[in-house]
Amino acid sequence: IITGMISAILVAPMIGKYSDKNPHTQHKALIGTAVIHLAGVVLFYFTNDFWLMLAINVTLMAFGGCCGFLITSYAKVQSRIFGKHANDAMMFNRAMGSLAWAFGPALSGFIVADYGFDALFIFLAIANSFALLFVISLPKIEIRSPKKQANTETDHQAKKLNSEAKFLLLAFLLLHIVIGAILILLPLHIIDLGGAEKQTGQAFAIAAFIEIPILLFCGKFLSFTGNYRMLILIFVLAAISFIATGLTTSITQLLSLQVLSGIMIALSMGIGMTLIQDTMPDNPATIISHYSNMLRLSILLGTAIAGIAADYMTAGSILSFMSILPAMGLILIISKYQKHQPNPAPLSKT
């Protein structure tokens, strides 16, 4: 898993830059990564050697995994046709991702338990085949906004991360490191409270299902708060959620707090992703590749910190202590964001 993530982090920016060249390269990147991912799944089915599986994971699956963020970048460009409802379209796209996470692991577990891993890989190959047919059917669309299509002098410079993108990525990295750590800390904390695997599954399921309706209404929330106030809300909710979860003394308290956690994660994943995408609107695949890498890096760092600290502290104590990270992100937002957005306003509708 670690080697696969590191490999994906290395190749994602290259794929993103290639996709952003023009509509033809965008279409080629979408189809190419979908084909590669399908090939990786099929080869996994026929492979029993560990080293060969590792090689497939760090090559085919790393490149093929880029198809996910390329679909998101395509959706960002396509959302322009919805005009003032463009952000609602993007939130719906993100909600479908949450829906997949809500049902995917449970469905996979059911298939493996009743039919074995061979059946799982057959199912994944069929699902990937439908995904390939879907991306093949997508029409080519102009990547750059109409106002900038004629200006090619600053293309190279535009593909570089600007300062706004950098500090937003850093701020959300600090928050998502804790979300990554929760993958280890929440099950351990539940065990400390006398719970078991069933309660762990319930906790993650509650948060996942809360995310979906919140994501669908994120665009509406922004019309009331504006970008700056929404960012403040996200990071304050994160700090409160992590501290409160770490201080829970019963399973009932912990499960109840997953509603707050689900709201916070939905706002972070939905609005955070869209705000970061808006920093480079004419290079959607490039910026979303960096966003995807931020998420991968946060999982690597979060799980590593949690795993090491768990030998010396209780899971609840670690989780409460790590709330300092979103607090640091909040300070970064307060100190930097208004310099780039002197008049906080609702998210761009273009």
Side-chain angles (χ1 to χ4, degrees):
I1 293 176
I2 293 175
T3 56
M5 281 192 175
I6 293 174
S7 180
I9 288 173
L10 294 175
V11 304
M14 294 186 293
I15 298 294
K17 288 181 180 179
Y18 175 78
S19 175
D20 282 339
K21 287 183 178 181
N22 56 62
H24 300 289
T25 56
Q26 181 193 57
H27 204 240
K28 289 179 181 178
L30 274 167
I31 296 175
T33 52
V35 170
I36 291 172
H37 197 270
L38 175 58
V41 171
V42 172
L43 287 176
F44 266 139
Y45 175 79
F46 292 102
T47 302
N48 294 315
D49 180 76
F50 169 78
W51 295 108
L52 183 55
M53 292 181 69
L54 180 64
I56 294 171
N57 193 45
V58 300
T59 54
L60 297 182
M61 301 309 288
F63 278 94
C66 294
C67 187
F69 77 72
L70 290 177
I71 291 175
T72 302
S73 70
Y74 181 94
K76 178 65 175 177
V77 178
Q78 186 77 312
S79 68
R80 293 171 185 162
I81 67 175
F82 293 97
K84 65 179 182 178
H85 299 295
N87 295 319
D88 293 334
M90 282 307 300
M91 296 306 170
F92 180 83
N93 176 274
R94 184 61 188 82
M96 293 303 98
S98 294
L99 187 63
W101 275 106
F103 286 101
L107 180 60
S108 298
F110 169 77
I111 293 173
V112 170
D114 284 14
Y115 303 101
F117 279 101
D118 285 350
L120 176 62
F121 281 111
I122 292 173
F123 170 77
L124 292 176
I126 294 172
N128 275 260
S129 298
F130 279 108
L132 175 58
L133 292 175
F134 170 75
V135 298
I136 290 174
S137 69
L138 293 175
K140 297 176 184 178
I141 54 176
E142 180 56 55
I143 297 172
R144 310 188 74 196
S145 58
K147 293 182 180 179
K148 297 185 179 180
Q149 287 177 20
N151 182 12
T152 59
E153 294 180 359
T154 59
D155 275 359
H156 179 70
Q157 184 177 359
K159 291 182 185 297
K160 295 181 179 179
L161 287 178
N162 55 46
S163 57
E164 185 182 2
K166 289 178 180 178
F167 84 75
L168 280 176
L169 285 168
L170 177 58
F172 277 97
L173 173 64
L174 293 170
L175 189 158
H176 281 278
I177 285 174
V178 191
I179 294 178
I182 284 178
L183 297 174
I184 290 179
L185 295 178
L186 192 62
L188 291 177
H189 189 44
I190 288 173
I191 292 173
D192 290 340
L193 296 177
E197 290 83 358
K198 180 180 179 181
Q199 284 73 36
T200 300
Q202 289 174 345
F204 284 120
I206 291 171
F209 279 103
I210 287 294
E211 286 180 41
I212 297 169
I214 297 299
L215 280 166
L216 293 176
F217 289 98
C218 276
K220 302 292 188 299
F221 298 153
L222 278 168
S223 66
F224 295 101
T225 64
N227 297 355
Y228 178 70
R229 293 183 183 88
M230 179 56 76
L231 284 169
I232 297 297
L233 176 63
I234 290 171
F235 283 84
V236 169
L237 282 179
I240 293 173
S241 174
F242 298 141
I243 292 176
T245 301
L247 294 177
T248 52
T249 57
S250 72
I251 296 295
T252 302
Q253 292 175 359
L254 186 144
L255 292 179
S256 299
L257 275 171
Q258 295 314 298
V259 175
L260 179 61
S261 296
I263 294 172
M264 179 272 295
I265 293 173
L267 294 176
S268 173
M269 298 294 287
I271 294 173
M273 179 189 72
T274 304
L275 286 175
I276 290 171
Q277 283 181 301
D278 281 353
T279 62
M280 297 177 66
D282 294 308
N283 295 282
T286 299
I287 186 59
I288 199 64
S289 70
H290 288 289
Y291 175 80
S292 298
N293 278 351
M294 180 273 291
L295 294 181
R296 294 186 183 101
L297 183 60
S298 69
I299 293 175
L300 290 174
L301 293 175
T303 53
I305 292 171
I308 294 171
D311 289 335
Y312 305 97
M313 303 168 62
T314 64
S317 298
I318 299 169
L319 195 53
S320 296
F321 182 75
M322 289 186 75
S323 64
I324 193 173
L325 294 179
M328 292 169 60
L330 176 62
I331 293 172
L332 188 61
I333 293 296
I334 293 173
S335 63
K336 296 286 187 180
Y337 190 76
Q338 283 188 310
K339 294 180 181 180
H340 297 274
Q341 304 286 334
N343 297 306
L347 196 61
S348 172
K349 300 299 181 182
T350 57

